[in-house]
Amino acid sequence: MTRHSGQPGERLADELFLIAHDDYSGKALASAVMVNSALAGALVAELLFDARITLLRSQVYVADDRAWQEPVTDRVLGEMVRRGDGHPVRSWLEFLASRARDHVGDRLVSAGAVRRTTSRSLNLRTTVRWPGLDPNRVARPRVRLVAVLERSEQPLDVRTATLAGLVQAAGLIRALIPTNRTVVANRIAAARRLLPPELGDLVDAVDSTVAAGTVSLRR
């Protein structure tokens, strides 16, 4: 697959993370199951864009096992190397989801975009939030995505279409604060249909993972 990661700005999972959290409070704007599954998908997508893995019939195969000195994706790729090829991408999403938010959040902390805060309630439950440090930086992915989605005459590039699909899977369209949610949803649906097969399969797998996680919580 052609690489699409050379675009300036945040990495794909970083952009999704910033969209998924309130700029000031750092509170997640959708349920943990949805955000974590979508972030896991974004990390897998980063590896696809960098041509470090491939998807064949929705199964993951390592194409480049070298470390790139990027701690988060190096860690994910290392797990894929250790566990071997041929596992379904949905299995990887389920495996990665529990730590995806911490990994991406810590990457943004290291980059100076957000800070990590923890608090404990009276029932001893710990809450982690990620308030932004630079208002312009943390708002940029949301502003950029809304601008592109609301310009119906401008086609979405593959990277932006993938981000939009993951935003939809995470239940975050309302967090974009678009002027017309129906137009935005239709634009995302059209963009998803034009994604390369690997990325289309990945976003579909995120949808399935979110749906399964939501059902299990309701039981």
Side-chain angles (χ1 to χ4, degrees):
M1 187 175 74
T2 303
R3 295 187 184 189
H4 298 278
S5 61
Q7 185 170 317
E10 311 289 353
R11 293 183 68 88
L12 184 72
D14 295 351
E15 287 196 297
L16 179 62
F17 186 102
L18 294 174
I19 291 170
H21 293 82
D22 182 84
D23 297 351
Y24 299 98
S25 71
K27 181 180 179 180
L29 300 174
S31 74
V33 167
M34 300 173 83
V35 172
N36 294 347
S37 298
L39 284 170
L43 290 175
V44 174
E46 287 188 20
L47 292 172
L48 282 169
F49 284 135
D50 291 336
R52 301 173 77 184
I53 64 170
T54 61
L55 291 188
L56 180 61
R57 293 188 293 275
S58 296
Q59 295 178 324
V60 176
Y61 295 85
V62 174
D64 180 354
D65 63 3
R66 296 171 297 173
W68 280 23
Q69 308 308 311
E70 197 297 296
V72 176
T73 48
D74 282 352
R75 184 182 296 118
V76 173
L77 188 69
E79 288 289 347
M80 291 177 172
V81 171
R82 282 190 290 275
R83 295 171 186 272
D85 289 334
H87 295 289
V89 67
R90 181 171 162 183
S91 296
W92 276 113
L93 295 175
E94 293 168 350
F95 176 80
L96 295 170
S98 64
R99 296 301 306 278
R101 193 190 315 227
D102 284 338
H103 291 330
V104 180
D106 288 342
R107 182 165 72 183
L108 284 165
V109 169
S110 297
V114 303
R115 60 189 176 92
R116 179 182 181 130
T117 68
T118 59
S119 60
R120 185 168 292 183
S121 63
L122 291 176
N123 63 6
L124 302 182
R125 180 179 177 180
T126 299
T127 299
V128 179
R129 293 191 177 179
W130 310 85
L133 294 175
D134 179 345
N136 291 327
R137 182 175 180 181
V138 297
R140 190 177 299 125
R142 184 180 300 112
V143 172
R144 183 186 73 82
L145 186 58
V146 170
V148 172
L149 290 173
E150 291 189 333
R151 289 199 297 269
S152 59
E153 75 283 356
Q154 179 178 337
L156 272 63
D157 61 82
V158 172
R159 186 183 184 282
T160 302
T162 303
L163 175 62
L166 293 171
V167 164
Q168 185 181 53
L172 290 166
I173 290 180
R174 64 183 181 277
L176 297 175
I177 318 178
T179 56
N180 190 320
R181 291 186 188 177
T182 300
V183 168
V184 167
N186 290 341
R187 283 270 282 159
I188 294 173
R192 285 183 59 168
R193 288 193 291 270
L194 298 176
L195 283 173
E198 288 179 307
L199 290 166
D201 288 349
L202 172 60
V203 177
D204 288 345
V206 173
D207 281 337
S208 298
T209 305
V210 167
T214 303
V215 168
S216 66
L217 285 178
R218 290 174 179 168
R219 289 176 179 171

